[in-house]
């Protein structure tokens, strides 16, 4: 069964496009005040575009798909072709949607901006007047409302505005009046920012749009010249985006995600569901190295951060590592937005952690021992450990990212940190090492976080491995029948009704199902790539998997995916992308 | 159209027959709408080996218990076969998605088998936004 983040962006492509549409309508307001008949013309153009788009989408997807993108096309088209007779506008919008969008496969698959295709088509029969807008102070706030859309293609947008402004200055035409009525911001913020047809590539975006903006003003039919320029840039973008780029090389994204329910000392409840603790053989003296390793292995200490691997393997790999300097990093960063129990541990079990570290020091001579915590989670650092504050972003606690931060050491996804002399252990694992080695206690229980998302309450719960999830939910009187379980809020799966707590479960939540609407319309916003800590071309991998050919995604290295869930969380099409990447990863591995 | 009430879903649970990968987006929407309204869903698909975000049972035999209400999202031919099996397993109420997968003859057969039926998209009752408006005008919700 697939995992998915329990929290996801509230925004969707449809919301963004509805925002663009609202701004486009505001651009029309001054002309509607002058000539109210234009309202009816726009209503007709809008109605035709919506009906046409809905019908074609219904035929293609065999279901109703939101047609707000067609409304945006109608809005851009109508603003630029307002002077054309209605029948010409109706033909133009039909050409825009059919030739500009649907013959390519619909929203997200078109190469050219559909409204520009409509403008080119209309220009064959009519002369499209320019400037497109009559100057009105009413347009000034609309310019401001257009600015947020720059964020979708900032280079192309700013490049266009710079190019057009430079041409105005060059021609000694620059004035606020011209800046508004010539539609500098309209084109820059609403046309050149179309993520589907304009590349994210900064060089192409900037250079191409400066050229389009500058050159457009040098022609007599400016609207046509600008449309030709945009379409040319669209074509270059399509070519550039289809070049065999395998990775999105950039710095690790720093996505700040607020805790679903924040930890509050004294308020976050601790619940112990492990009656009848197993009797322990308390050994007075600390055992020797051989005995320590034996106890860690025999007592079944495992990675409590979610990996669940036997810790003894990690420790022995570090012992055997040929690296001259060895390092221990205790990971208490707990960057997942659902988890709280590591925070509880560093506040309540620091003595045990300290003793666990002493045990490990008996086995390995570490050059450094670091306790990595989230910035602001100040705790007193025990002697012999260095406190390292990690900025609050997700996934700051991922092993390789943490090693890079703490030690400045870059490891590839193929490297095994312990073999490179770096032992990274979750803080609960260090506590378990203490219990196993000093108390000779079998590790048959663990701490997990339980979140009741409806009631906004959370619990740190000590449970036995093998405990029924349903029993935990019943004991804590969780408010929803929907239960989710997994490594954290970013990697949950739906509880099926018969599972128990195992080594991989850190988190249980009850609440509403997150809304993944699995829209077939990817807007190529690029958020998934931009937020992937591994720099994967997530949208391309997902597209290939959706075609039913997961093996073909191999060239995009899906095996690098750490299943952090960031891509699914940000996808504006509401798609569980990490599940698709995981499917490709599984195919590559098999 | 008949009003779809919570009482139709006895024990607040429902079998979802025909949860498919091909129509996963819609199936997931329905699953989420049911479960966000407190109805436990048991999706079943005996053919699909798909990759799902929820647990999909291969057959009725695999289920921990069989709810008394089923939601059927199958074509007419498969729905006809499924109805008999559901009746044998004790299902007493069936919600069909639309009249394409449940024509008059199938509804009559259900009635002969003692099964109460409603034909309506569950999104009209349990969905949000436009589904709510649709449900209101269709008479599915109050
Ligand atoms: S592709 Fe994998 S590593 Fe990248 S964001 Fe998605 S889940 Fe995380
Ligand atoms: S798949 Fe990626 S590019 Fe497409 S809508 Fe989702 S986040 Fe944006």
């Amino acid at each position: 069964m697939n995992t998915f983040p329990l929290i996801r962006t509230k925004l969707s492509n449809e919301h963004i496009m509805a925002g663009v549409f609202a701004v486009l309508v505001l651009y029309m307001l001054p002309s509607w005040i002058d000539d109210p008949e234009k309202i009816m013309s726009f209503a007709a153009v809008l109605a035709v575009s919506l009906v046409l788009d809905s019908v074609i989408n219904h035929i293609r997807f065999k279901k109703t798909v939101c047609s707000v993108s067609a409304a945006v096309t109608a809005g851009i088209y109508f603003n630029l072709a307002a002077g054309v007779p209605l029948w010409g506008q109706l033909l133009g919008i039909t050409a825009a949607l059919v030739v500009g969008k649907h013959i390519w496969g619909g929203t997200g698959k078109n190469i050219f901006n559909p409204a520009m295709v409509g403008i080119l088509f209309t220009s064959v029969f009519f002369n499209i007047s320019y400037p497109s807008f009559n100057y009105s102070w009413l347009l000034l706030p609309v310019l401001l409302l257009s600015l947020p859309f720059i964020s979708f293609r900032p280079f192309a947008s700013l490049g266009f505005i710079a190019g057009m402004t430079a041409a105005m200055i060059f021609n000694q035409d620059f004035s606020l009046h011209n800046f508004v009525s010539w539609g500098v911001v309209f084109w820059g913020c609403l046309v050149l920012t179309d993520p589907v047809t304009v590349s994210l590539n900064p060089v192409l975006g900037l250079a191409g749009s400066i050229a389009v903006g500058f050159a457009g003003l040098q022609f007599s039919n400016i609207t046509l010249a600008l449309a030709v320029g945009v379409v040319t840039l669209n074509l270059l973008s399509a070519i550039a985006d289809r070049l065999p780029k395998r990775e999105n090389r950039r710095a690790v994204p720093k996505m700040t995600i607020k805790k679903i329910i924040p930890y509050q000392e004294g308020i976050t409840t601790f619940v112990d569901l492990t009656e009848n603790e197993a009797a322990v053989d308390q050994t007075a003296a600390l055992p020797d190295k051989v005995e320590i390793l034996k106890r860690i292995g025999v007592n079944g200490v495992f990675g409590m951060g979610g990996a669940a691997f036997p810790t003894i393997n990690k420790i022995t790999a570090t012992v055997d590592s040929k690296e001259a300097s060895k390092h221990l990093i205790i990971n208490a960063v707990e960057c997942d937005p659902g988890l709280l129990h590591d925070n509880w541990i560093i506040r309540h079990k620091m003595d045990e952690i300290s003793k666990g570290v002493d045990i490990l020091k008996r086995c390995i001579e570490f050059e450094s021992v670091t306790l990595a915590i989230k910035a602001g989670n100040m705790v007193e650092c025990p002697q012999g450990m260095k406190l390292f504050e990690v900025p609050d972003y997700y996934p700051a606690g991922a092993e390789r990212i943490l090693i890079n931060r703490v030690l400045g050491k870059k490891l590839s996804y193929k490297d095994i940190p312990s073999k490179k002399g770096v032992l990274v252990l979750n803080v609960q694992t260090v506590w378990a090492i203490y219990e196993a080695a000093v108390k000779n206690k079998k590790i048959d229980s663990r701490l997990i976080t339980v979140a009741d998302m409806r009631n906004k309450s959370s619990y740190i719960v000590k449970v036995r491995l093998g405990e029924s999830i349903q029993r935990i939910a019943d004991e804590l009187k969780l408010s929803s029948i929907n239960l989710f379980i997994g490594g954290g809020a970013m990697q949950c799966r739906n509880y099926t009704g018969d599972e128990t707590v195992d080594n991989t479960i850190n988190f249980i939540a009850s609440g509403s199902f997150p809304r993944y609407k699995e829209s077939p319309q990817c807007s190529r916003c690029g958020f998934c790539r931009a937020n992937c800590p591994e720099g994967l071309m997530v949208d391309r991998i997902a597209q290939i998997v959706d075609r039913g050919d997961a093996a073909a995604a191999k060239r995009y290295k899906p095996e690098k995916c750490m299943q952090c869930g960031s891509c699914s969380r940000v996808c504006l099409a509401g798609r569980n992308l990490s599940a698709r990447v995981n499917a490709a990863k599984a195919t590559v591995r098999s | 159209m008949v009003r779809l009430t919570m009482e139709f879903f006895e024990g607040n649970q429902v079998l979802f027959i025909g949860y498919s990968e091909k129509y996963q987006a819609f199936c997931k929407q329905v699953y989420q709408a049911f479960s966000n309204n407190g109805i436990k869903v048991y999706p079943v698909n005996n053919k699909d080996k798909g990759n799902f975000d929820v647990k999909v049972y291969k057959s009725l035999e695999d289920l921990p218990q069989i709810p008394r209400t089923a939601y059927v999202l199958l074509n007419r031919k498969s729905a006809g076969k499924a109805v008999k099996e559901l009746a044998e397993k004790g299902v007493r109420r069936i919600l069909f998605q639309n009249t394409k997968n449940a024509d008059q003859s199938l509804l009559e057969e259900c009635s002969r088998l003692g099964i109460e039926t409603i034909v309506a998209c569950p999104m009209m009752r349990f969905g949000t936004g436009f589904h709510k408006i649709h449900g209101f005008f269709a008479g599915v919700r109050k």
Side-chain angles (χ1 to χ4, degrees), chain A residues 368-418:
Chain A
S368 72
V369 177
T370 309
L371 173 64
I373 57 162
K374 187 183 283 179
N377 261 358
M378 285 315 293
V379 285
E380 221 167 282
C381 187
Q383 260 197 340
M385 278 188 241
K386 194 171 72 190
L387 204 60
F388 189 95
E389 284 190 58
V390 178
D392 184 5
Y393 68 88
Y394 182 82
E399 203 166 68
R400 273 177 293 121
I401 295 174
L402 188 61
I403 292 171
N404 191 8
R405 272 221 159 255
V406 175
L407 302 172
K409 212 172 180 169
K410 276 200 174 157
L411 298 184
S412 114
Y413 73 102
K414 286 183 187 151
D415 290 328
I416 296 169
S418 47

Side-chain angles (χ1 to χ4, degrees), chain A residues 13 522-528 539 570-573 575 577:
Chain A
N13 286 321
C522 162
S523 65
R524 294 208 217 145
C525 64
F527 288 2
C528 51
D539 50 338
V570 296
C571 178
L572 292 181
R575 306 159 97 190
L577 297 169

Side-chain angles (χ1 to χ4, degrees), chain A residues 12-13 152-153 195 200 519 521-531 537-540 542-543 566-575 577 580:
Chain A
S12 69
N13 286 321
F152 284 89
R153 289 296 182 265
L200 256 176
S519 164
Q521 300 182 327
C522 162
S523 65
R524 294 208 217 145
C525 64
F527 288 2
C528 51
R529 293 183 195 187
N531 285 291
M537 308 284 274
V538 187
D539 50 338
R540 284 201 196 172
Q543 202 181 5
S566 302
C567 50
S568 300
R569 178 179 173 268
V570 296
C571 178
L572 292 181
R575 306 159 97 190
L577 297 169
R580 288 162 167 91

Side-chain angles (χ1 to χ4, degrees), chain B residues 25-94:
Chain B
F26 178 72
C27 292
K28 203 156 126 182
Q29 257 186 26
V30 172
Y31 183 103
Q32 293 173 8
F34 273 133
S35 51
N36 288 345
N37 280 278
I39 298 172
K40 174 116 188 81
V41 190
Y42 294 92
V44 180
N45 190 323
N46 55 12
K47 289 199 193 106
D48 221 327
K49 288 194 223 71
N51 198 17
F52 297 108
D53 287 1
V54 299
K55 173 153 180 163
V56 178
Y57 295 88
K58 285 223 68 76
S59 77
L60 294 180
E61 272 68 42
D62 296 344
L63 288 162
Q65 54 183 314
I66 298 188
R68 305 266 286 172
T69 307
Y71 162 60
V72 174
L73 187 65
L74 296 171
N75 60 33
R76 168 66 184 85
K77 201 168 145 215
S78 310
K81 281 189 212 151
V83 159
K84 289 190 194 80
E85 194 187 345
L86 291 172
E88 279 165 22
K89 298 284 183 197
V91 169
R92 285 290 155 259
R93 293 186 190 95
I94 297 183

